Amino acid sequence: MAPSATHHTSDGNKSGDVYRDYNDDRSAKAQDTLYTASNGTPMPHPYEAQRAGESGPLLLQDFHLIDLISHFDRERIPERVVHAKGGGAHGYYQTTDPLDDLCMSDIFQAGKKCPISVRFSTVGGESGSHDCARDPRGFSVKFRTDEGNWDVVANNTPVFFLRDAAKFPHFIHTQKRDPATHLTHADDSTMFWDYLSQNPESVHQVMILMGDRGIPDGWRKMHGYYGHTLKLVNKKGDWVYGQMHFKSKQGTGFITQADSANYSPDYAQKDMYNAIEKGDFPGWDVCWQIMTPKEAEDLWEKEKINIFDLTHVWPHKQFPLRKVGEFFLNENVKNYFAEIEQIAFNPAHMPPGIEPSADPVLQSRLFSYPDTHRHRIGVNYQQLPVNSSQTPYRTANFQRDGSMAFYNQGSRPAYLSSIQPIQFRERSVNLDKVHGHFIGEAVSFLSEIRPEDFKAPRALWENVWDEDARGRFIENVSGHMSTCTEQEIIKRQIAIFREVSDDIATRLEKATGTKGYEGIKNMRFNGTHNGMASDDSVRFANGMKPSGGSEGSKPDNNGAPRAGTHKAASQ
């Protein structure tokens, strides 16, 4: 029996489609709906089709069938090039320890709370890949603040494989299928290790990837790290650098390589979903590391740690974590496609008081993320309910038309009108003060490998891991290298590990049966300059000297904020 038609009344609470409402549609029970074609016309049965007689061909006039099949043919949008496999949930964030001394953002004021959506993912795999793959995990949070959406696009590791933005497409290509064999690096790891062995700055992330944290025990038991350096601006206009961390209230856990085959391909998704369904809501503390501009300069000058380098970490003893708030996930999605596949994160989405730093990979992502969303989902992707902001004011701009412009701002002028003027909020951030310190000539920049790049991974091997963890690392690396078809690549990678610790190289030589090179001083890399080279014949990537034509023209700070970078950096 068909349900009776109901309509919205003035209170807006009745179910029906006189005015389509996302929340009503999302929450409606199947028993309260009526089967129709896409234009709303009721249809008696979804399986019927019109034919020219009982044994004749189908009729083109059968709109219902054509409507059904043509939509089915288009039900997939392109999967994400990176982070294709993932899942998530909704929840809320609340400030527990105000940060208003350092940041003017409304969300960090005492008592503030806002809804959030979180998506977890693997990085390199396809949409149907295994949740227990040895791969970094994406950890993206959409904070729906009263000042617009703030998208934090983080990972479960504090560093990444690269610090030069142009390397990113190349690196991701090496994590995908081989163009000839169409095999992943599970069966042919040649191009995987070829890239890493030519770009030694990746070694810290490689050690994390091949260590115990390479396969986290689901999404609930892992931390999140923004990795990039941001700027926090307070109401006085003063600013500091900051790095953001999400610390799991559930603790952390890992799955060994040998045990990973015993888990469901959707283990992390199932673990998260079931925990939320039974009321075991996962939570994370939101913390910041803080550094003044002067401290950033000193950190480079004294310790050669570059805060604009995605492969470097900030020492926790010098820059301890400061908790500002926490968030919990307490609601599973009702429709995966609408709320997870179509959710789109953009690191350029920052509320007033949060600004980007000169980190080159962050700068690249500020463009790359919205650009790929416009391609993958559509130019008006931010109008989708899961991506729309939730502000206490009506938003207005001069963006009109394009595919799927559901909210096209009515008859309001599509230009800055003096007849029907829109309102403006007074400027709260002096961008000239926050970003106005860049003075220099244009340079063609490519970073170089330096001794300091091996300090953090050496500490990981010598001071953080116990002997069992070291043994698992050697087993994981050698096992993965077993499908690499080029011995030269293994020799190069062992040489890079030797710069971290001769102990790693010696163990890998025994495990792989391959003798590696004696360090990198005599090696030329195609992906980076070798600042540890014995002479200029192998110093420059691909033998190409810097654009100035000589060693003397090459910056000696590797892109770091050296002394004098910041105007009046006396903070």
Side-chain angles (χ1 to χ4, degrees):
M1 178 178 178
S4 59
T6 57
H7 304 293
H8 280 65
T9 59
S10 59
D11 64 7
N13 290 327
K14 296 292 185 180
S15 62
D17 284 347
V18 174
Y19 300 103
R20 297 297 295 269
D21 179 81
Y22 174 75
N23 287 320
D24 175 68
D25 176 74
R26 181 175 183 264
S27 302
K29 296 180 180 179
Q31 299 94 309
D32 296 328
T33 63
L34 180 70
Y35 180 65
T36 73
S38 63
N39 65 331
T41 300
M43 292 292 164
H45 200 282
Y47 294 168
E48 288 183 351
Q50 298 179 26
R51 302 182 64 170
E54 293 183 355
S55 59
L58 299 177
L59 299 183
L60 185 61
Q61 71 180 31
D62 186 356
F63 168 73
H64 168 260
L65 180 63
I66 300 302
D67 187 53
L68 176 73
I69 298 299
S70 59
H71 188 280
F72 174 76
D73 292 344
R74 295 163 174 81
E75 281 184 358
R76 296 294 179 269
I77 60 176
E79 72 175 30
R80 292 168 170 87
V81 176
V82 194
H83 299 277
K85 174 66 182 294
H90 307 300
Y92 65 92
Y93 163 84
Q94 58 187 2
T95 292
T96 58
D97 303 270
L99 195 66
D100 48 2
D101 58 320
L102 297 178
C103 185
M104 70 173 67
S105 293
D106 177 75
I107 190 59
F108 291 144
Q109 309 305 305
K112 292 300 294 189
K113 190 174 182 179
C114 78
I116 64 169
S117 295
V118 178
R119 183 178 187 269
F120 304 96
S121 58
T122 49
V123 172
E126 299 144 355
S127 62
S129 56
H130 205 292
D131 274 1
C132 296
R134 184 168 294 279
D135 198 18
R137 299 309 191 262
F139 193 144
S140 297
V141 184
K142 185 179 292 290
F143 296 85
R144 296 181 177 86
T145 83
D146 286 347
E147 298 177 301
N149 287 347
W150 176 31
D151 291 345
V152 176
V153 188
N155 283 336
N156 73 323
T157 58
V159 294
F160 199 59
F161 297 92
L162 51 87
R163 58 193 175 206
D164 297 286
K167 290 184 178 182
F168 190 78
H170 301 265
F171 167 70
I172 294 300
H173 287 166
T174 68
Q175 310 304 294
K176 300 293 187 178
R177 293 181 179 272
D178 184 275
T181 66
H182 203 55
L183 297 174
T184 70
H185 58 81
D187 290 300
D188 184 353
S189 64
T190 304
M191 65 180 183
F192 177 92
W193 289 106
D194 186 23
Y195 174 89
L196 300 176
S197 69
Q198 292 285 0
N199 296 272
E201 72 272 24
S202 64
V203 68
H204 192 184
Q205 176 73 313
V206 170
M207 291 187 65
I208 295 174
L209 175 66
M210 290 298 170
D212 288 340
R213 281 197 284 177
I215 308 179
D217 185 8
W219 300 324
R220 294 185 301 137
K221 295 182 179 180
M222 66 183 194
H223 301 318
Y225 305 87
Y226 197 31
H228 298 296
T229 296
L230 295 171
K231 292 180 177 180
L232 302 180
V233 190
N234 66 17
K235 291 182 179 179
K236 297 178 181 178
D238 299 324
W239 64 270
V240 293
Y241 287 120
Q243 280 215 358
M244 195 177 187
H245 301 245
F246 304 140
K247 305 298 287 186
S248 171
K249 291 178 178 291
Q250 297 73 236
T252 59
F254 68 92
I255 298 170
T256 65
Q257 188 70 48
D259 196 28
S260 63
N262 299 321
Y263 286 76
S264 161
D266 299 313
Y267 166 71
Q269 169 73 28
K270 182 170 62 175
D271 175 70
M272 174 73 76
Y273 186 91
N274 290 342
I276 294 174
E277 284 298 293
K278 68 182 182 182
D280 183 11
F281 303 138
W284 286 261
D285 290 331
V286 177
C287 307
W288 286 87
Q289 285 180 287
I290 303 299
M291 186 184 305
T292 67
K294 180 64 165 57
E295 287 174 326
E297 294 179 5
D298 291 344
L299 194 63
W300 170 255
E301 297 293 344
K302 297 176 182 178
E303 301 183 49
K304 299 305 178 187
I305 295 176
N306 181 358
I307 67 161
F308 299 151
D309 188 334
L310 189 52
T311 70
H312 286 194
V313 294
W314 295 13
H316 280 248
K317 288 184 179 180
Q318 292 172 254
F319 308 99
L321 292 178
R322 172 177 170 176
K323 181 180 177 180
V324 61
E326 58 191 13
F327 62 79
F328 295 88
L329 299 179
N330 61 358
E331 180 189 0
N332 280 315
V333 304
K334 292 187 181 298
N335 185 280
Y336 183 89
F337 182 85
E339 300 169 55
I340 296 298
E341 191 64 22
Q342 289 192 136
I343 197 171
F345 299 90
N346 176 5
H349 290 168
M350 300 179 188
I354 302 175
E355 295 288 331
S357 74
D359 178 334
V361 180
L362 172 60
Q363 292 280 324
S364 175
R365 295 175 87 192
L366 299 178
F367 163 77
S368 177
Y369 275 70
D371 185 56
T372 196
H373 299 325
R374 294 182 187 107
H375 152 71
R376 194 177 74 89
I377 308 172
V379 66
N380 289 305
Y381 71 93
Q382 292 190 81
Q383 294 188 23
L384 291 169
V386 74
N387 294 322
S388 62
S389 58
Q390 297 183 17
T391 59
Y393 45 83
R394 288 192 179 98
T395 61
N397 54 48
F398 305 108
Q399 298 178 12
R400 298 292 193 276
D401 307 343
S403 176
M404 298 186 295
F406 299 112
Y407 303 101
N408 214 31
Q409 306 191 48
S411 62
R412 298 188 289 280
Y415 68 100
L416 188 59
S417 169
S418 62
I419 307 302
Q420 299 182 49
I422 63 175
Q423 301 177 51
F424 300 92
R425 191 170 84 169
E426 186 176 348
R427 188 189 309 277
S428 58
V429 177
N430 183 349
L431 297 180
D432 293 345
K433 181 177 181 181
V434 174
H435 298 298
H437 311 315
F438 304 114
I439 301 174
E441 299 177 350
V443 296
S444 298
F445 181 84
L446 177 63
S447 68
E448 68 175 8
I449 301 305
R450 301 164 59 104
E452 61 265 17
D453 293 322
F454 299 97
K455 290 181 180 179
R458 186 176 303 122
L460 187 64
W461 176 262
E462 296 178 351
N463 304 328
V464 179
W465 290 350
D466 59 21
E467 186 55 32
D468 288 341
R470 296 186 191 105
R472 288 189 293 269
F473 171 80
I474 296 299
E475 184 177 347
N476 293 336
V477 172
S478 60
H480 196 274
M481 282 180 168
S482 66
T483 60
C484 178
T485 60
E486 298 290 339
Q487 290 294 299
E488 172 67 14
I489 292 172
I490 298 176
K491 292 178 182 179
R492 299 177 68 90
Q493 189 63 47
I494 289 177
I496 294 170
F497 281 128
R498 198 182 305 279
E499 298 292 349
V500 177
S501 169
D502 188 65
D503 186 28
I504 300 178
T506 301
R507 295 193 196 196
L508 281 175
E509 287 172 335
K510 182 178 180 180
T512 62
T514 300
K515 176 66 175 176
Y517 294 125
E518 295 298 322
I520 68 171
K521 67 178 182 179
N522 296 317
M523 293 170 58
R524 176 192 292 147
F525 300 106
N526 68 18
T528 185
H529 298 312
N530 187 352
M532 299 167 63
S534 56
D535 58 68
D536 282 359
S537 66
V538 294
R539 182 176 301 276
F540 303 109
N542 286 340
M544 302 294 291
K545 291 187 177 181
S547 58
S550 68
E551 168 66 9
S553 67
K554 186 170 64 63
D556 62 358
N557 64 323
N558 222 22
R562 56 184 167 188
T565 297
H566 303 92
K567 185 178 180 181
S570 58
Q571 294 96 324

